[in-house]
Amino acid sequence: MNRDATLPEALAFASAIELVRRLKAREFTARALLEFQLARVARLNPEINAIVYTDLPAARDRADQADAALARGEDWGPLHGLPMTVKETNNVAGWPTTYGDPALAGAIPPHGAVIVERLLAAGAIIFGKTNVPINALDWQSYNAIYGTTRNPWDRERTPGGSSGGSSAALAAGLVPLELGSDAGGSIRFPAHFCGVYGHKPTPGIVPVAGNERGTSLLDNDLVVSGPLARTVADLGCALDVIAGPAGPAAKAWRLDLPAPRATRLAEFRVAYVTDSPIAEVDEPVRAAIRTLAERLAGLGARVTADALPFDDHAAHHATYLQLLRGSASGRLPQAVFEEAVLRVTEPGTNATPYVARMAQAHAQHHRNWILAEERRAALKRDWAAFFERYDVLLAPVTVCAAFPIDEARPREERVLQINGHPVDYNDQLFWAGLATLPSLPATAVPIGFDGHLPIGIQVIGPHLEDRTTLAFAAELERLYPFVPPPRFAPSPGR
């Protein structure tokens, strides 16, 4: 075996599981695989700016250690020798965690997050971080520290956010596995925009310990960390690595996720929706979902259209926004909080309806928060009853395929062109909240294209039944496997 041998270009799009299998079979070394990926990063990353921080000496040293361990017959785990990156907001000991905010440019956590340490313990070689929007609060990924990340399918369009760098790096074949996070679609949107797979786990199964922001120790059960990959099997492998209790809870609790309800498409009871009066969906996306539903029915699945456990889309969305934006109130600078109070008491200061809703959430009374949590509890009960009749719900990830990058206007003032007319950019949050508010797992899966742009779908499942959404997604993958963007695909014969 020659560690300096040139690896085939097609290896850039191999699954993480295949790469580890071949590493353990000694077909090539971890160092050779790392250098192969780094060469692609050096050549292609400048076009999309997905990977924004690296520590190459440490990565090379760890790759050499991984090779030496294999030579001694040691197996570090399911990710032994696998090069990968993580979303910038994940704490890696000694590396900056800035959230794209210049005020945090010098912030270096002394300890890594539990989930990062679990990836390392499983054998991963984490060599860098991927880009995010400032404060991880956008479906575009640009900031004043690291610049703009672009979609590998169309560099004038967004890769999504806030895990935009993660999805772009995967789609371009720069890494085989990534770690993102999601509260407002931040795993699902980028997966959809870039044509990769992403899993938003059930809240609570993946620990947040060590990933606290600044000095805050509060857990927010709307926010979860989860994997992105180019295959569903890789999602499941990564979830098995990072899931499970941590800290004091690990003294008593063990995670034992139930087996999937079904493993063949014909065995699933499938509900689907294509549109909402709160967040209108572009016709190409709706058409792709209808086509999928017809295909599933033809394969024997029991398919039901327009099924949801609630009728009042506006109420569902209002509760989600109230809790999502309200949960951020404690992190606001005092001046920003006081401005929110002013906007509530003097409504004429609100620029848009979305700005008004944010202000109301930031400055709400505690009693209103409790009432919103009561509504959420009732919704969770209704969703549980819904999943007694259905196994999965298929829904749009968001309102359209990847849209053009818009850095000229703040998020609150942007619009999207949907079905030929402008809509509020922030309407997209409805589709994120569909799974986030009731604490449900959701797996994003590509199902086709709008012209040259990928279209994905989110597979939403019952609380704690992550293996069901992953099993269904794996069946969809057989129909719609990952396709690399032409500019980044390997050359024929290489």
Side-chain angles (χ1 to χ4, degrees), residues 93-421:
W95 291 6
T97 299
T98 71
Y99 283 76
D101 185 346
L104 299 176
I108 299 179
H111 305 291
V114 166
I115 50 178
V116 169
E117 295 302 316
R118 286 179 176 177
L119 290 170
L120 293 171
I125 299 172
I126 301 175
F127 68 84
K129 284 188 167 189
T130 47
N131 205 19
V132 296
I134 185 169
N135 293 317
L137 288 174
D138 200 352
W139 300 300
Q140 303 180 155
S141 292
Y142 69 94
N143 59 73
I145 298 178
Y146 297 122
T148 300
T149 298
R150 300 181 179 277
N151 192 316
W153 288 91
D154 183 334
R155 283 166 283 175
E156 298 305 311
R157 293 177 184 266
T158 179
S162 58
S163 309
S166 306
S167 58
L170 282 166
L174 306 184
V175 293
L177 189 65
E178 246 284 349
L179 179 64
S181 58
D182 190 313
S186 289
I187 287 174
R188 291 163 287 165
F189 283 39
H192 156 71
F193 287 150
C194 291
V196 298
Y197 300 83
H199 184 67
K200 183 196 89 67
T202 298
I205 73 169
V206 174
V208 298
N211 239 355
E212 299 86 4
R213 183 169 180 177
T215 59
S216 175
L217 298 178
L218 290 177
D219 184 11
N220 179 354
D221 74 343
L222 295 172
V223 181
V224 297
S225 293
L228 294 103
R230 291 189 297 265
T231 72
V232 177
D234 285 352
L235 292 181
C237 175
L239 183 65
D240 288 343
V241 168
I242 64 175
K251 297 177 182 178
W253 302 117
R254 297 293 180 270
L255 180 65
D256 185 14
L257 295 176
R261 293 185 175 191
T263 56
R264 295 174 54 249
L265 286 177
E267 299 169 345
F268 280 93
R269 299 169 297 170
V270 181
Y272 76 94
V273 291
T274 64
D275 208 358
S276 169
I278 298 300
E280 181 182 352
V281 177
D282 216 24
E283 177 54 29
V285 176
R286 297 199 309 239
I289 298 173
R290 290 194 300 266
T291 298
L292 171 62
E294 293 171 2
R295 191 170 185 184
L296 293 175
L299 292 169
R302 285 162 285 178
V303 180
T304 304
D306 302 320
L308 282 172
F310 59 88
D311 295 320
D312 193 338
H313 291 219
H316 191 281
H317 189 48
T319 300
Y320 171 56
L321 287 182
Q322 184 178 349
L323 294 174
L324 179 71
R325 295 304 177 221
S327 66
S329 180
R331 294 199 307 269
L332 296 178
Q334 184 64 26
V336 177
F337 174 74
E338 290 173 357
E339 181 183 0
V341 173
L342 178 65
R343 289 183 181 278
V344 171
T345 55
E346 299 182 23
T349 59
N350 293 317
T352 67
Y354 178 71
V355 170
R357 282 187 165 186
M358 280 202 304
Q360 291 161 2
H362 288 155
Q364 66 185 291
H365 293 292
H366 184 63
R367 181 174 186 271
N368 291 338
W369 175 274
I370 296 299
L371 292 174
E373 285 287 8
E374 288 284 2
R375 294 193 296 274
R376 184 186 185 197
L379 280 166
K380 288 182 178 182
R381 177 198 60 201
D382 295 343
W383 276 100
F386 176 84
F387 282 117
E388 292 176 3
R389 304 190 301 276
Y390 305 102
D391 299 316
V392 293
L393 170 70
L394 309 184
V397 174
T398 183
V399 299
C400 61
F403 48 82
I405 293 171
D406 179 2
E407 299 179 9
R409 293 173 290 181
R411 167 181 174 158
E412 293 77 15
E413 298 176 10
R414 294 185 201 136
V415 296
L416 296 175
Q417 292 297 320
I418 303 298
N419 297 319
H421 62 88

